[in-house]
Amino acid sequence: MQWKEMHGWTVKMSMPSVLAMVTVFSIIPGGVLSDTRSTQGLEAQQIAQGSTHLHRRLKRGWIWKQLFVPEEDPTPRVIGQLKSDYDRGEFSIKYILSGDGAGDAFEIDEYSGEIRTLKKLDREEKAFYVLQAQAINRRSNEPVEPQSEFIITVQDINDNVPQFQNEPYVSSIPEMCLIGTTVAQVTATDADDPMFGNNAKLIYSVLQGEPYFSVEPKTGIIVTSWPNMDREAREQYLVVVQVKDMLGLSGGYSSSTTVTVSLTDVNDNGPTFQHHLYTFAVPENAAEGTTVGRVMAYDGDSGINAKMTYSLEDDLEESSTFIIKTDPATQEGLILLAKPLDYETKRRFVMAAEAVNDHVDTRFLDLEEFRDRTTLKIIVEDVDEPPVFLSEVYEWKVPENAAVGTVVGSVSARDTDTVNNPIRYSIDKRRDNTKAFKVDPNNGTIIVAKALDRETANWHNITVEAKETTQSHLSSSVVVFIKVLDINDNVPRLARDYQPYICEGTQAGELIQLIGAVDPDDPVEGHHFYFSMVPEKHINPNFTIRDNQDNTAGIVARRSSFTRKDRTQYLLPVVGGVEALALSMGVSLQTLLGIVVCFITLIVLSILMLVVRRHRRKQQEKLEVEGKELELPETVSQKVLYYGETGGVGADLNFCQPAVPLRRHPRRRERRLRREDVRASIRMSLRESHLIGPDDDVFRQFILDRLTEADLDPYVPPFDCLRTYAYEGSGSPTGSLSSLDSSTTELEPEQPVSNPRTSTVRLTPWHWGGEEDTIF
């Protein structure tokens, strides 16, 4: 206890001092701390005399009774008394109380200094109160004692029930765990004073859960007390734990809580099939992937420990027909069809199925105990199936000029059932709009029903149906693709309706119009069109055609003097490719046919000319042999004109090598150009030869012009050459072959009929090449 002197009266106590003092006065009630009068008088005398040395400290203080109160006491009562040494019982001292609970929980009698409680106190709400007391002289209103601070302690009683914390309690332990495995720890608290008696001293016990679990009495730790607890037998336990204060003695409070304990799974069970044989049935027309059935190997474990994989017996034939998979949700074995079935081929399948755990734990079972086997028997059911075509699709080709009734191909289907019902064929009219083909209902032969046109439809897709003649009328169908092959049955035509025009100031050689042609046919190597003017009686002096050799041609003006006064429209016949095309006005079909027939006639004449030349060559060889045998007079000399062909059929005879070439005709270039124009005209008209007759005017004129030109043109082979012989000889039955006097092709009247003179006609050689421009 610490004292500090202040006016010789101040008593101040720290918190431990107050508590110690409260304890002392609890043992000795009514203890008094006071100083004697003599001591007080002596101290006052020494001060008055100015002495600076005090022989001993003077003590003064309060006088009070006990300063603690029990909690939960509703009756107001005096818990202590404060009294000053100056108080002589004359009521001259006034006591004042201040601090915690003053006027609310506590009050003081201002005359006697007794402290009373005003209400029921709760230690758990407030365990102590710090108060201040004063003693004041009523007459002078001056304090006779310094202010004193003291503490009133609330004494604890067992008025609180223990409470569990962190409820609810849930825990889990692995099954088959050892005894003493910690399950959980429960914790309870008591609001009473743990330092005062046994009010807050707790103890734990198990009310429910024995003999599987027990609890540590002081710590609340729950442990297992039963060996080999099996989750498959019981998965969850409820453990009720009680807590009591007062160390479990009578008169204390208690409470309880429940701990939910779950056993977690370990892999201590293997898969087991419930049956040794599983039988299933599946129709033969089941699609691939169809679920045939399900098998289940029961495993008492759960989660990852219950996962398993199914497999079929390693039989190549049967395992390839069926497969088995594990359903991840139910762990069942799904038997699936992997290949088509055929009742007529195989009607029953027998195989073994095995289930094996994915994760094994050899702490609990042997390795072989994690697998099991069973037998599967699958029966194939017969189904009346529709006919089956021998091919999934048919594809044929037919030319577009195929006659009606031409056989395109045959489809074939059969009934795969054991009955093998008859089949009839038909074309699905709902999918065939052209009606271009028919099918034989008995044998499936498909023929052409009407004329085909590739340019209208180059593909025909028809559906042929095969139907059984039985009451069920089962049917199936197949698609037949027929490609129509192209033939050259279309003539070329102008690419569009050209309407060319020419201005009055157009110059010679200027391009007027570029034209092109199209052909609906589809040749393998593409179209090759040729363009040329169509020759008539007179050569066109106004325009010419320039073939660009790229399926186009240009119309070019030949002069520069075009005026509307002279003429407002020109007819320009054009032949292109194998068909005559005309701008402005068309050329008659008979004219074109006549041109082609003329060309054919020229070919025939060429062949005849070749035969005549062969005959002449043989005659000349004979004359040469006879000439060598004759004795010629030295005085006879004669110039002989003789024909030989350079590069022709008779070139190898070497009858004549022209030593002096004949004089070049001044108009030879012009004649050559004209011949080139004729050849181009004939070439472009070749393919229309079957469309013209010999009675056509153009045809007759064309023939006459060509014959006249051949007779009067001395500038084409065979060329004349000059040789000198002593004697020509006589006796030639054909006479002279010189062209000097052969302007006519008539036979000499004086020659015998039996050996007429051969009439020769010279033909202009025709080549596909020529000048770039065809000129008229």
Side-chain angles (χ1 to χ4, degrees), residues 45 51 58 69 86 118 192 213 250 286 306 338 378 387 428 485 495 639 673 744 771:
Q45 183 180 3
S51 176
L58 300 179
V69 59
Y86 293 103
L118 298 177
D192 293 325
F213 302 94
S250 61
I378 301 177
D428 190 350
L485 301 178
K639 293 182 178 179
L673 293 177
T744 179
E771 296 292 328

Side-chain angles (χ1 to χ4, degrees), residues 9 11 31-34 60-65 80-91 93 95 108-109 111-115 133-135 144-145 148 150:
W9 296 98
V11 178
V32 178
L33 296 176
S34 63
R60 288 191 156 189
W62 294 90
I63 300 174
W64 60 80
K65 296 182 180 179
Q81 183 181 14
L82 300 179
K83 190 175 182 180
S84 173
D85 291 344
Y86 293 103
D87 189 355
R88 298 289 184 266
E90 299 174 354
F91 303 108
I93 303 299
Y95 296 98
I108 190 169
D109 189 328
Y111 296 101
S112 65
E114 292 180 342
I115 300 174
Q134 288 180 321
V144 298
E145 296 284 354
S148 176
F150 62 94

Side-chain angles (χ1 to χ4, degrees), residues 296-309:
M296 180 65 184
Y298 176 77
D299 191 325
D301 298 320
S302 64
I304 191 174
N305 296 321
K307 289 186 177 181
M308 64 190 74
T309 300

Side-chain angles (χ1 to χ4, degrees), residues 75-133:
T75 303
R77 66 175 61 189
V78 176
I79 61 173
Q81 183 181 14
L82 300 179
K83 190 175 182 180
S84 173
D85 291 344
Y86 293 103
D87 189 355
R88 298 289 184 266
E90 299 174 354
F91 303 108
S92 61
I93 303 299
K94 180 181 179 180
Y95 296 98
I96 299 174
L97 186 66
S98 62
D100 292 341
D104 177 29
F106 307 97
E107 68 175 0
I108 190 169
D109 189 328
E110 63 179 6
Y111 296 101
S112 65
E114 292 180 342
I115 300 174
R116 298 183 179 88
T117 60
L118 298 177
K119 65 178 182 179
K120 181 176 63 175
L121 302 177
D122 186 3
R123 190 202 68 83
E124 287 72 40
E125 182 180 347
K126 192 172 181 65
F128 61 91
Y129 295 85
V130 179
L131 298 166
Q132 292 84 32

